């Protein structure tokens, strides 16, 4: 069974740039959630994708957007990067039936984004 | 909105001893899930234990057990026979039932197991 994978591991960008982070879900999982974890804090929910559509969103501005592909992998896109976007971005996958989670979320190792 | 509070930013324990991490939460929901996740220096968030609110019996997973007090909205984690590999950040998390899979995390407790 393949676990959740994320790429890249580390990324450095400058303020105002755009970034794309990628996530491959665990085998058999159809739902992907993204979280932002600032240094020394707990993760905060950004959004969730199910059946290639956004299926829940946290308190993040529209410049945070995402995609889910037919193979259930996902991308997180952040436009107009700000210094406060520096964080660890975690992807989690789970199995849902009709949009409702039936299983625990399993996390990837994260992408460390630094905005200068 | 739900909130999760972990009042112990840092804790330490001697190897082979027992330690308890505290978590309280605030919600008006009756059906929900509670989790403890471990995040070692490798950064990967690993599920430690899960509790469904409708179950009165406390969950256990080998050396890990919880004390779930629904009325008090308390969900503590007990680690028995602590091992050096237990050194990590521990996060308590809440998830509403039938509301997608949005996890609300606490601020974390840094646990150091000393030899």
């Amino acid at each position: 069974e393949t676990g959740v994978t994320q790429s890249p591991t580390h990324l450095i960008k400058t303020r105002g740039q755009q970034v794309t982070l990628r996530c491959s879900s665990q085998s058999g999982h159809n739902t992907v959630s993204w979280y932002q974890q600032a240094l020394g804090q707990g993760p905060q929910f950004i959004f969730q994708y199910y059946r290639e559509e956004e299926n829940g969103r946290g308190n993040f501005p529209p410049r945070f957007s995402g995609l889910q592909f037919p193979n259930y992998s996902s991308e997180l896109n952040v436009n107009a990067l700000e210094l406060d976007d520096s964080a660890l971005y975690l992807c989690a996958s789970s199995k849902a039936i009709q949009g409702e989670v039936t299983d625990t979320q399993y996390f990837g190792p994260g992408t460390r984004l630094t905005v200068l | 909105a739900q909130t999760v509070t972990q009042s112990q930013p840092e804790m330490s324990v001697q190897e082979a001893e027992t330690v308890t991490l505290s978590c309280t939460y605030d919600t008006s929901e009756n059906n929900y899930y509670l989790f403890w996740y471990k995040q070692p220096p490798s950064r990967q968030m690993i599920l430690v234990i899960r509790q469904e609110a409708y179950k009165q019996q406390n969950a256990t997973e080998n050396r890990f057990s919880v004390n779930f007090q629904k009325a008090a909205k308390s969900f503590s984690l007990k680690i028995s026979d602590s091992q050096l590999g237990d050194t990590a950040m521990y996060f308590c998390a809440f998830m509403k039932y039938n509301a997608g899979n949005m996890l609300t995390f606490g601020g974390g407790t840094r646990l150091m197991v000393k030899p």
Side-chain angles (χ1 to χ4, degrees):
Chain A
E1 186 178 80
T2 307
V4 180
T5 60
Q6 292 185 243
S7 63
T9 305
H10 296 92
L11 203 53
I12 300 174
K13 291 285 188 178
T14 57
R15 193 170 49 183
Q17 285 188 314
Q18 178 265 341
V19 68
T20 297
L21 310 182
R22 295 178 175 82
C23 171
S24 292
S25 60
Q26 184 166 311
S27 176
H29 287 180
N30 57 7
T31 301
V32 174
S33 299
W34 286 92
Y35 292 82
Q36 180 195 65
Q37 186 179 17
L39 196 62
Q41 297 182 21
Q44 286 195 300
F45 177 76
I46 303 175
F47 44 54
Q48 173 202 340
Y49 276 81
Y50 171 68
R51 288 188 174 178
E52 302 177 47
E53 291 190 357
E54 191 178 289
N55 187 37
R57 188 177 185 95
N59 190 26
F60 280 81
R63 58 189 186 85
F64 285 79
S65 63
L67 285 172
Q68 186 181 31
F69 300 99
N71 66 353
Y72 306 122
S73 66
S74 177
E75 287 182 354
L76 165 65
N77 299 291
V78 187
N79 294 322
L81 283 167
E82 301 177 359
L83 297 179
D84 285 349
D85 294 335
S86 294
L88 180 68
Y89 287 86
L90 296 168
C91 163
S93 74
S94 57
K95 184 186 295 184
I97 297 175
Q98 296 182 341
E100 295 303 333
V101 172
T102 61
D103 203 351
T104 301
Q105 294 180 63
Y106 293 89
F107 284 81
T111 294
R112 173 75 66 192
L113 173 65
T114 301
V115 182
L116 302 176
Chain B
Q2 285 66 232
T3 58
V4 178
T5 302
Q6 294 179 247
S7 59
Q8 306 149 315
E10 293 188 3
M11 294 191 72
S12 63
V13 63
Q14 293 295 132
E15 196 175 6
E17 294 189 346
T18 295
V19 64
T20 298
L21 309 183
S22 301
C23 172
T24 58
Y25 57 94
D26 187 22
T27 185
S28 58
E29 302 290 327
N30 191 46
N31 295 319
Y32 50 86
Y33 303 92
L34 293 163
F35 304 85
W36 279 98
Y37 280 90
K38 165 186 176 181
Q39 189 177 41
S42 66
R43 308 182 322 201
Q44 186 141 13
M45 199 75 77
I46 302 166
L47 176 68
V48 174
I49 200 163
R50 161 187 166 135
Q51 174 84 40
E52 288 88 346
Y54 67 87
K55 291 186 177 179
Q56 292 187 340
Q57 187 171 5
N58 289 324
T60 63
E61 285 289 343
N62 301 314
R63 298 183 295 107
F64 299 88
S65 61
V66 298
N67 183 6
F68 173 48
Q69 301 289 330
K70 191 173 183 180
K73 296 179 183 175
S74 170
F75 183 61
S76 60
L77 174 70
K78 185 171 83 171
I79 306 174
S80 304
D81 186 25
S82 296
Q83 301 176 358
L84 296 178
D86 296 333
T87 293
M89 284 291 292
Y90 286 81
F91 291 96
C92 177
F94 173 100
M95 185 173 77
K96 280 198 303 186
Y97 184 74
N98 273 348
N101 56 351
M102 170 182 161
L103 285 166
T104 301
F105 285 86
T109 296
R110 183 177 302 280
L111 176 67
M112 173 73 72
V113 180
K114 299 178 178 179

